[in-house]
Amino acid sequence: QVQLVESGGGLVQAGGSLRLSCAASGRTFSMYAMGWFRQAPGKEREFLGRILLTGGSIDYADSVKGRFTISRDNVKNTLYLQMNSLKPEDTAVYYCAAGYRNTWLRGEYDFWGQGTQVTVSS
C-alpha cells in the first residue's frame, strides 16, 4: 500500500552535510509515523528519529540530537533527514520507514525503503 524510496546519499567529508529524501507513494494518508534508521556494516539497525504524521511531533535518538533534523513536505509526500556535522561513524545505509498507528504503538514499522548509502570520509 505504501512505497518508500530513499535518495540523497553519497560521499561527503567529515564536517559536511547531506540531506536525505524519502519519497512516499501509495496510501500514505493511512500512515501514523515515519522514521529514519541506519545500519552500518556488521552492526545492528539503529533508530535515528521519527515524526508522527498527525501532529508533527518529532523525536530523535540521543546520538544524533543537535546534528540531524527531520522534516516533511506534505505536498511532495516526502520526508527529509538533514544531516549536519557528519562524522565518519555516521557511515551507514540509511533507511526510512512508515507504520500504521497500531504497528507503531508496538514499536514496529510496516514499510521500509531500500536504503541509500552515506559515506563520510575523514
Side-chain angles (χ1 to χ4, degrees):
Q1 291 186 330
V2 175
Q3 297 80 45
L4 306 173
V5 180
E6 302 96 336
S7 62
L11 177 64
V12 64
Q13 294 183 1
S17 300
L18 282 176
R19 188 181 73 165
L20 306 183
S21 299
C22 175
S25 60
R27 299 183 180 183
T28 59
F29 60 86
S30 63
M31 295 297 102
Y32 184 77
M34 296 186 68
W36 284 99
F37 297 78
R38 68 186 180 189
Q39 187 167 23
K43 297 184 178 180
E44 291 284 307
R45 184 179 62 201
E46 178 187 9
F47 167 78
L48 300 175
R50 64 100 178 105
I51 181 170
L52 302 185
L53 303 181
T54 51
S57 176
I58 301 174
D59 284 332
Y60 299 97
D62 289 339
S63 60
V64 300
K65 283 183 179 178
R67 296 193 300 124
F68 290 10
T69 303
I70 294 173
S71 62
R72 60 175 172 173
D73 186 329
N74 290 328
V75 176
K76 297 181 179 179
N77 294 121
T78 300
L79 186 74
Y80 300 100
L81 181 67
Q82 178 68 45
M83 306 186 295
N84 299 325
S85 302
L86 284 165
K87 308 172 183 178
E89 50 263 44
D90 293 319
T91 296
V93 177
Y94 284 69
Y95 300 90
C96 66
Y100 298 113
R101 182 177 182 271
N102 290 342
T103 305
W104 182 81
L105 289 173
R106 295 193 297 268
E108 301 174 4
Y109 290 83
D110 294 285
F111 305 97
W112 294 81
Q114 293 298 308
T116 184
Q117 176 70 48
V118 172
T119 302
V120 184
S121 64
S122 59

